[in-house]
Amino acid sequence: MSRTTASSDVASPLHADASSPEFVPRRWLETLARAGGHWPNIAIGCALLSTLVLLAQAWSIARLAQGVAIERESLMTLWPAIAVLAASLSLRGALGGLRSYAGTRASQQIRRRLRERLLQRFAELGPLWVHRQHRASLANRVWDQVESLHGYYADFRPQTRLAGLIPLLLLAVVFPLNWAAGLILAITAPLVPIFMILVGIAARKRSREQFQEMDRMGRHFMDLLTGLKTLKLFGSARRGAQVEAVSHAFRKRTMRVLRLAFLSSTVLEFFTAVSIALLAVYLGFHFLGHLQFGTWDEAPLTLQTALFILVLAPEFYQPLRELGVHYHAKAEAEAAALDLAPIVGATPFSRQQTPDDVNTAPPRSATRPIALSTLRLQDVSVRHAGQLPDTPPALGPLSLQITAGERIAITGCSGAGKSTLLNLLLGFVEVADGMLSLNGHPLTQGLPAGTATWVGQETVVLSGTLADNLRLAKPQASDDELEAALAKADLATWHASLPHGLATPLGEGGQPLSGGQARRLSLARAFLHDAPLVLLDEPTASLDAESEARVIRALQRLGEDRTLLLLTHRPELLPLCQRLIRLEGGRLVEDRHLQATSPRGDA
């Protein structure tokens, strides 16, 4: 079946640039932002346009106050200011809603692309790496950690641009009116980002601790649910104390993060209030005649100008305040980046190939499988990630030649290297020494995609129709091809009994499958995929005698014009094979031809 291969380090597939001490989470988050399209720029544009509308709103408020309190103007002369105020309020509300929508859309696109890339990387790294990860950890990465990026892209990242642009725009408006007021705003503004930096150092650390605690809680619950049957059999199903302890630890971590976020917001509000009060005190003393400075031409400061500046003052600090409010989103995102970046790489959406992508890119022959003539292993050795150099390899040195059409049984005790050999051929582990070649051409990453089909002991049945499950092996297959594959896999009678035929739903809530039916469903997929080499891992394990006989009949048909490699301990499968290979300690200890006999269950 089509697949891409993993990186050389299966146990820890970290990209060198993402795992190095020089890795900067902020830069990695910026590379993801490219998937947001034009929505981030739309959000920023709406905020800037709203600031321009704010100038009209501030003017209308100041004009109304000046006209009513000082000049005693009639309502008829003030109606233009009233109309501008109503229009500006409505327009700012609409722009605020559009900005929020654009930020959310950008975040959705980025998170969707990142989840797709994560799932793609899981497939590239292969089953060995996935099986070594806890299922709760994988789910936590795909859902919770990716979800934690929402606040960063929807709120914090656009706000970092606005926190610099909007204050500069307002300063450009205030300074020509009163340089003292502009100076007060310019001097007090840095207090907010300085405090944010101090808070951010602690927030990132606590956010990462919260992710770790969430991962631990998920692992605990998953282990508890998985082993619930065993715990109940031994009378240990009541484990409320342990569940309560894990939940309490996670709750404490969460409250620490929230406490820090609330504290930062309170302090930011305090600094903002003090700064606005300082500006108001200056303007008040200026009107009282105690602070006669700040104007450019020594002209007296009017009430309209003072109110205009005071209305703009809260909006001057508002971008900085919002940046502080959303600063915890940056801490959460950077904590998630430290865990996700080593998996997806430092440039997950880059179109240019990185050195690691060279190892994981699918071969050019992915859509055109190469016919198998001769598969040869010459002094091949395989070492698992983290294995010490002075320890024996997991497989090898092994020399072996397989020719087209052979049906080979591979036997050996547990740990003999059988599964490692299959993973080597599938490209999930790499050759440490020696050479693997196909038809005389050396291979560096296992067999080309489409050349081999793998049938394991466990059949994955997805929630979907029978046709959907079969088309995993050949998406463009017609209904006739699906029915022919079912017949070859000895499932024709079962298919005929289904209430809706190929449209019958399987999986959770659908048509149940017995162990033998599920195994033959895997064989039907192998018939559909029609690869020249079929790798089978204990195809009749845990089956009753009748189901085993049906699987053997299907295997006979599967091996008529294909090369079969069967990992098995079952003597009932040996009559299917022409050759027996026995491994021990990763080495070849027996390679002999078998006498052709009729296997049990042959029709």
Side-chain angles (χ1 to χ4, degrees), residues 321-333:
R321 291 163 59 192
E322 289 187 15
L323 187 64
V325 169
H326 299 307
Y327 201 78
H328 69 281
K330 172 180 180 290
E332 287 187 23

PDB file of all heavy atoms in Angstrom, residues 321-333:
ATOM      1  N   ARG A 321      -2.857  47.120  26.037  1.00  0.00           N
ATOM      2  CA  ARG A 321      -3.594  46.354  27.047  1.00  0.00           C
ATOM      3  C   ARG A 321      -4.071  45.023  26.475  1.00  0.00           C
ATOM      4  O   ARG A 321      -3.975  43.981  27.123  1.00  0.00           O
ATOM      5  CB  ARG A 321      -4.784  47.168  27.552  1.00  0.00           C
ATOM      6  CG  ARG A 321      -4.389  48.375  28.384  1.00  0.00           C
ATOM      7  CD  ARG A 321      -5.528  49.358  28.508  1.00  0.00           C
ATOM      8  NE  ARG A 321      -6.719  48.765  29.117  1.00  0.00           N
ATOM      9  CZ  ARG A 321      -7.908  49.361  29.118  1.00  0.00           C
ATOM     10  NH1 ARG A 321      -8.067  50.528  28.512  1.00  0.00           N
ATOM     11  NH2 ARG A 321      -8.923  48.779  29.716  1.00  0.00           N
ATOM     12  N   GLU A 322      -4.614  45.065  25.247  1.00  0.00           N
ATOM     13  CA  GLU A 322      -5.067  43.824  24.624  1.00  0.00           C
ATOM     14  C   GLU A 322      -3.902  42.875  24.383  1.00  0.00           C
ATOM     15  O   GLU A 322      -4.044  41.654  24.514  1.00  0.00           O
ATOM     16  CB  GLU A 322      -5.770  44.138  23.299  1.00  0.00           C
ATOM     17  CG  GLU A 322      -7.115  44.809  23.471  1.00  0.00           C
ATOM     18  CD  GLU A 322      -7.838  44.955  22.150  1.00  0.00           C
ATOM     19  OE1 GLU A 322      -7.430  44.293  21.175  1.00  0.00           O
ATOM     20  OE2 GLU A 322      -8.812  45.728  22.087  1.00  0.00           O
ATOM     21  N   LEU A 323      -2.761  43.428  24.030  1.00  0.00           N
ATOM     22  CA  LEU A 323      -1.582  42.586  23.852  1.00  0.00           C
ATOM     23  C   LEU A 323      -1.221  41.892  25.156  1.00  0.00           C
ATOM     24  O   LEU A 323      -0.853  40.715  25.174  1.00  0.00           O
ATOM     25  CB  LEU A 323      -0.414  43.427  23.343  1.00  0.00           C
ATOM     26  CG  LEU A 323       0.848  42.663  22.939  1.00  0.00           C
ATOM     27  CD1 LEU A 323       0.567  41.747  21.751  1.00  0.00           C
ATOM     28  CD2 LEU A 323       1.975  43.626  22.596  1.00  0.00           C
ATOM     29  N   GLY A 324      -1.327  42.625  26.265  1.00  0.00           N
ATOM     30  CA  GLY A 324      -1.057  42.016  27.561  1.00  0.00           C
ATOM     31  C   GLY A 324      -2.077  40.967  27.944  1.00  0.00           C
ATOM     32  O   GLY A 324      -1.749  39.916  28.505  1.00  0.00           O
ATOM     33  N   VAL A 325      -3.355  41.241  27.616  1.00  0.00           N
ATOM     34  CA  VAL A 325      -4.415  40.270  27.925  1.00  0.00           C
ATOM     35  C   VAL A 325      -4.191  38.964  27.176  1.00  0.00           C
ATOM     36  O   VAL A 325      -4.405  37.870  27.714  1.00  0.00           O
ATOM     37  CB  VAL A 325      -5.792  40.874  27.586  1.00  0.00           C
ATOM     38  CG1 VAL A 325      -6.872  39.796  27.644  1.00  0.00           C
ATOM     39  CG2 VAL A 325      -6.120  42.007  28.537  1.00  0.00           C
ATOM     40  N   HIS A 326      -3.740  39.079  25.923  1.00  0.00           N
ATOM     41  CA  HIS A 326      -3.536  37.881  25.094  1.00  0.00           C
ATOM     42  C   HIS A 326      -2.118  37.325  25.201  1.00  0.00           C
ATOM     43  O   HIS A 326      -1.791  36.377  24.480  1.00  0.00           O
ATOM     44  CB  HIS A 326      -3.829  38.203  23.629  1.00  0.00           C
ATOM     45  CG  HIS A 326      -5.233  38.652  23.378  1.00  0.00           C
ATOM     46  ND1 HIS A 326      -6.327  37.934  23.797  1.00  0.00           N
ATOM     47  CD2 HIS A 326      -5.722  39.766  22.754  1.00  0.00           C
ATOM     48  CE1 HIS A 326      -7.435  38.574  23.445  1.00  0.00           C
ATOM     49  NE2 HIS A 326      -7.097  39.684  22.818  1.00  0.00           N
ATOM     50  N   TYR A 327      -1.311  37.892  26.089  1.00  0.00           N
ATOM     51  CA  TYR A 327       0.079  37.447  26.145  1.00  0.00           C
ATOM     52  C   TYR A 327       0.194  36.002  26.618  1.00  0.00           C
ATOM     53  O   TYR A 327       1.121  35.288  26.243  1.00  0.00           O
ATOM     54  CB  TYR A 327       0.896  38.364  27.068  1.00  0.00           C
ATOM     55  CG  TYR A 327       2.377  38.303  26.804  1.00  0.00           C
ATOM     56  CD1 TYR A 327       2.924  38.977  25.720  1.00  0.00           C
ATOM     57  CD2 TYR A 327       3.235  37.576  27.618  1.00  0.00           C
ATOM     58  CE1 TYR A 327       4.271  38.932  25.457  1.00  0.00           C
ATOM     59  CE2 TYR A 327       4.590  37.522  27.366  1.00  0.00           C
ATOM     60  CZ  TYR A 327       5.105  38.210  26.285  1.00  0.00           C
ATOM     61  OH  TYR A 327       6.453  38.165  26.021  1.00  0.00           O
ATOM     62  N   HIS A 328      -0.756  35.559  27.447  1.00  0.00           N
ATOM     63  CA  HIS A 328      -0.712  34.164  27.885  1.00  0.00           C
ATOM     64  C   HIS A 328      -0.922  33.214  26.708  1.00  0.00           C
ATOM     65  O   HIS A 328      -0.478  32.066  26.731  1.00  0.00           O
ATOM     66  CB  HIS A 328      -1.768  33.906  28.965  1.00  0.00           C
ATOM     67  CG  HIS A 328      -3.173  33.971  28.453  1.00  0.00           C
ATOM     68  ND1 HIS A 328      -3.830  35.170  28.224  1.00  0.00           N
ATOM     69  CD2 HIS A 328      -4.051  32.993  28.101  1.00  0.00           C
ATOM     70  CE1 HIS A 328      -5.042  34.928  27.770  1.00  0.00           C
ATOM     71  NE2 HIS A 328      -5.207  33.617  27.680  1.00  0.00           N
ATOM     72  N   ALA A 329      -1.635  33.699  25.627  1.00  0.00           N
ATOM     73  CA  ALA A 329      -1.798  32.866  24.431  1.00  0.00           C
ATOM     74  C   ALA A 329      -0.450  32.626  23.770  1.00  0.00           C
ATOM     75  O   ALA A 329      -0.208  31.542  23.220  1.00  0.00           O
ATOM     76  CB  ALA A 329      -2.763  33.538  23.457  1.00  0.00           C
ATOM     77  N   LYS A 330       0.420  33.623  23.794  1.00  0.00           N
ATOM     78  CA  LYS A 330       1.770  33.449  23.256  1.00  0.00           C
ATOM     79  C   LYS A 330       2.530  32.403  24.057  1.00  0.00           C
ATOM     80  O   LYS A 330       3.221  31.545  23.501  1.00  0.00           O
ATOM     81  CB  LYS A 330       2.517  34.779  23.285  1.00  0.00           C
ATOM     82  CG  LYS A 330       4.004  34.689  22.918  1.00  0.00           C
ATOM     83  CD  LYS A 330       4.644  36.058  22.984  1.00  0.00           C
ATOM     84  CE  LYS A 330       6.128  35.994  22.619  1.00  0.00           C
ATOM     85  NZ  LYS A 330       6.932  35.306  23.649  1.00  0.00           N
ATOM     86  N   ALA A 331       2.403  32.457  25.391  1.00  0.00           N
ATOM     87  CA  ALA A 331       3.094  31.476  26.230  1.00  0.00           C
ATOM     88  C   ALA A 331       2.594  30.063  25.951  1.00  0.00           C
ATOM     89  O   ALA A 331       3.386  29.120  25.850  1.00  0.00           O
ATOM     90  CB  ALA A 331       2.903  31.834  27.703  1.00  0.00           C
ATOM     91  N   GLU A 332       1.276  29.898  25.789  1.00  0.00           N
ATOM     92  CA  GLU A 332       0.722  28.578  25.484  1.00  0.00           C
ATOM     93  C   GLU A 332       1.205  28.090  24.124  1.00  0.00           C
ATOM     94  O   GLU A 332       1.552  26.915  23.954  1.00  0.00           O
ATOM     95  CB  GLU A 332      -0.799  28.627  25.505  1.00  0.00           C
ATOM     96  CG  GLU A 332      -1.410  28.742  26.878  1.00  0.00           C
ATOM     97  CD  GLU A 332      -2.924  28.613  26.832  1.00  0.00           C
ATOM     98  OE1 GLU A 332      -3.429  28.021  25.869  1.00  0.00           O
ATOM     99  OE2 GLU A 332      -3.582  29.103  27.751  1.00  0.00           O
ATOM    100  N   ALA A 333       1.198  28.983  23.142  1.00  0.00           N
ATOM    101  CA  ALA A 333       1.602  28.588  21.793  1.00  0.00           C
ATOM    102  C   ALA A 333       3.076  28.193  21.758  1.00  0.00           C
ATOM    103  O   ALA A 333       3.443  27.212  21.096  1.00  0.00           O
ATOM    104  CB  ALA A 333       1.340  29.741  20.821  1.00  0.00           C
TER     105      ALA A 333
END
